[in-house]
């Protein structure tokens, strides 16, 4: 019987490469993350629609910073839009209304576009960002 050995490399080394990308694709938020290490022959990729998981979002924020957005009112991001996109509770939305929302630059552009569409009275179902359409 052969022994199988798996080396898990938990500390980044000089050969590790990580990339996170967030963009708007087809009117929806999209994120992708990849990591690889030539020394330990490791590669991992993941991605999805909507707001990225906290670990990926944290890397984006560390690299690109945040944009402070007003929430609610005539010039702020609509409460419903913020709640649906981020899955916030009513209490979290109330706190965001009081203090503003820290979005990544891509999220900020996306939210501003969606808020403008709401202001024009357009159907905003496409701005939920959480799921790809059936045509994807």
């Amino acid at each position: 019987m052969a022994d199988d050995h798996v080396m898990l490399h938990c500390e980044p080394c000089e050969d590790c490469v990580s990339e996170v990308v967030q963009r708007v694709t087809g009117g929806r938020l999209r994120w992708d993350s990849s990591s690889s290490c030539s020394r330990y022959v490791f590669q991992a990729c993941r991605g999805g629609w909507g707001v990225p998981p906290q670990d990926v979002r944290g890397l984006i924020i560390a690299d690109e910073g945040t944009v402070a957005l007003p929430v609610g009112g005539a010039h702020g991001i609509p409460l419903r839009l913020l709640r649906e996109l981020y899955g916030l509770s009513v209490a979290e939305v109330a706190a965001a209304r009081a203090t503003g929302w820290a979005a990544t630059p891509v999220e900020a552009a996306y939210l501003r576009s969606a808020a403008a569409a709401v202001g024009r009275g357009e159907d905003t179902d496409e701005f939920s960002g959480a799921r790809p359409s059936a045509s994807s």
Side-chain angles (χ1 to χ4, degrees), residues 18-22 32 54-67 103-106:
S18 293
E19 181 182 29
V20 291
V21 178
Q22 188 179 40
D32 291 287
Q54 280 304 111
D55 63 319
V56 174
R57 191 169 187 266
L59 293 172
I60 294 167
I61 289 171
D63 187 45
E64 300 178 13
T66 60
V67 176
T104 68
V106 171

Side-chain angles (χ1 to χ4, degrees), residues 38-121:
S38 58
R39 180 182 297 179
Y40 294 100
V41 191
F42 169 81
Q43 184 173 7
C45 298
R46 61 183 179 150
W49 298 97
V51 177
Q54 280 304 111
D55 63 319
V56 174
R57 191 169 187 266
L59 293 172
I60 294 167
I61 289 171
D63 187 45
E64 300 178 13
T66 60
V67 176
L69 297 174
V71 176
H75 302 290
I77 301 302
L79 303 175
R80 179 179 149 248
L81 182 62
L82 194 70
R83 185 170 186 204
E84 288 176 0
L85 181 62
Y86 293 95
L88 302 178
S89 69
V90 173
E92 290 169 321
V93 172
R97 184 166 188 171
T99 62
W101 185 256
T104 68
V106 171
E107 292 166 1
Y110 175 83
L111 287 165
R112 287 178 179 138
S113 175
V118 169
R120 291 189 302 267

Side-chain angles (χ1 to χ4, degrees), residues 5 11-12 14 17 21 33-34 38 42 61-63 78 90-91 96 125 130:
H5 297 281
E11 295 297 321
E14 61 271 4
V17 178
V21 178
S33 171
S34 64
S38 58
F42 169 81
I61 289 171
D63 187 45
V90 173
D125 286 344

